[in-house]
Amino acid sequence: MLLKTPYLLFLGDAADPLAAKVAQGVKDWRPEHCVGQIRLEGCNADMGLSDMTIEEAVAAGAKTLVVGVANRGGVISESWNAVFKEAVSSGMDIASGLHNLLRDIPELVELADKHNQQLIDVRVPQVEYPIASGEKRKGKRVLAVGTDCSVGKMYTALAMEKTMLERGMKASFRATGQTGILITGNGVPLDAVIADFMAGSVEYLTPDNDADHWDLIEGQGSLFHASYSGVTMALIHGGAPDVLILCHEPTRKTMRGLPSYTLPSLEELRDLAMTIAKVVNPEVRVAGLSINTAALSEDEAVAYLAKLEAEMGLPAVDPFRHGAGRLVDAL
Amino acid sequence: MLLKTPYLLFLGDAADPLAAKVAQGVKDWRPEHCVGQIRLEGCNADMGLSDMTIEEAVAAGAKTLVVGVANRGGVISESWNAVFKEAVSSGMDIASGLHNLLRDIPELVELADKHNQQLIDVRVPQVEYPIASGEKRKGKRVLAVGTDCSVGKMYTALAMEKTMLERGMKASFRATGQTGILITGNGVPLDAVIADFMAGSVEYLTPDNDADHWDLIEGQGSLFHASYSGVTMALIHGGAPDVLILCHEPTRKTMRGLPSYTLPSLEELRDLAMTIAKVVNPEVRVAGLSINTAALSEDEAVAYLAKLEAEMGLPAVDPFRHGAGRLVDAL
């Protein structure tokens, strides 16, 4: 594990709940890792955890202060830094996915060194990854691929992991982005890995395992997204999934950040992803469709999912509305 | 331009001509940039250029010492370093694509700083590249894609550029690897770029240009190569080629470095590359096949190319044996 548990979640002066979505992710998916939260004046987010001082959190066993909030204006403010300094001085590590790196704050680095605490910038690769070997590994792997970025791939994988563990199956969510790493305490920040080592880092993340163990690999980007498609490609060839789940947001008009691009159809995604995945795993199959229906009413969502299911002959579910059970059934 | 011309080619103590293949590339494709060569005791390579001392090269106008030879055992020897130190002290930059970086030799860095000379490790990105925008650019672009790595993609692009310039067309080879950068003095070391910026670096490399100008983009990896496919994907989506040239080596049994993988067919390469390239450029087309027939006799090569041409309905040529004219005709 990269991060020591349990955590104290730092919400800072989050302007609204959305600013604290990393903390929300940790609280939703790993509540057992959270001993409390720490909030500064002006904070408008609340995870429903006990508010604690650093001293109280240390007494409660907290090992890592997790920065669960986005900062404003690209600077780490003095009020944040004061908490960070108290945390390392009191025996806690700090983990952050901010663009501004903890390691770039000299007085914090000095204090952490003095107290033998770690400053963990999860945005920065911590390992020298190998070149991918393309060799077959034991165990099973699921990868969520999307028609676009930000259509629910991470949510899908986390929801499937939760359902599988509840059913007593062997399952591990494998984080490939900052939020996922902070949630699970481990992973590869794939978008920050050097090109030649991308696929190798995914092999490293999903090693040999029990024959009945499933890795739920967090997807990134989209094969159809001009800016990030290379990352998605490396995920497929490094992950060598046995099963693909196709993710989609049906009301989105254009690709995220690319206003002149429309989204591909789920059929186009299926055909391209399958062609690419078969290069490394001829047995790969698409098991289901995970649809983010947040913008639809319940009736619209149910009708849309039924229509998709009939058209594509695959279970179509919104795991947030209806749970991931039918996706797990389809494995 | 990243590198100042003209060059003095450093052949060191190359054990054989293959060890000096970078120098051979510069000499073959940019002879007008080469004022001479410098060889140490035990050198078994010869570019047919004038042997010069550093002093003579500076007098002849040389601006950059280009390291055109691979080093042995992963160290830069004392005899090499002595030449490098004399070069920067005498007013020349040094450019290198070695794994061992020039910038990691403290006394060389100190001397270069003192004399205001550059140490250019072309393996290291020199620019903070943007995220790809996916926006359409003016001008035309050709990209060579391969069934595998090392099947002649760089050679194909350089040979096409040469033919086009001889015909008075507007054409620029765009280097994406160390050797290509040393040959042309510019480019992007794509395999060393951070994942999120790969496609953006290719857009940066191939900006808006005259409507009748062609970029000949150096290919990397292969869509079917598990280790490097993400790099190839980013090249296609960042380069947004108007024309693809398919490259192949017909006698190769397994993918380079992946002994359990066989090569795809040219038809499979065509179909996958076209599907991917159409995402960013719906007008893209495959114009020809560039085949490395070095392992075939002349009769075998001619027969193989004729058969391919009939099967695929596209000009099939080995640009090394027969020139790139027919590929250029097909643009």
Side-chain angles (χ1 to χ4, degrees), chain A residues 157-205:
Chain A
L158 282 164
M160 289 181 72
E161 184 208 37
K162 186 162 188 270
T163 301
M164 293 168 84
L165 293 175
E166 284 167 359
R167 293 187 185 178
M169 299 169 72
K170 297 179 190 169
S172 306
F173 174 78
R174 300 298 190 184
T176 60
Q178 290 86 15
T179 305
I181 296 171
L182 289 173
I183 289 174
T184 59
N186 222 338
V188 168
L190 189 58
D191 62 6
V193 172
I194 286 178
D196 253 2
F197 305 97
M198 293 186 299
S201 75
V202 181
E203 290 187 349
Y204 171 94
L205 181 67

Side-chain angles (χ1 to χ4, degrees), chain B residues 225-246:
Chain B
H225 196 293
S227 313
Y228 308 117
S229 55
V231 178
T232 314
M233 183 70 143
L235 255 176
I236 297 176
H237 280 173
D242 302 277
V243 168
L244 296 171
I245 303 289
L246 309 185

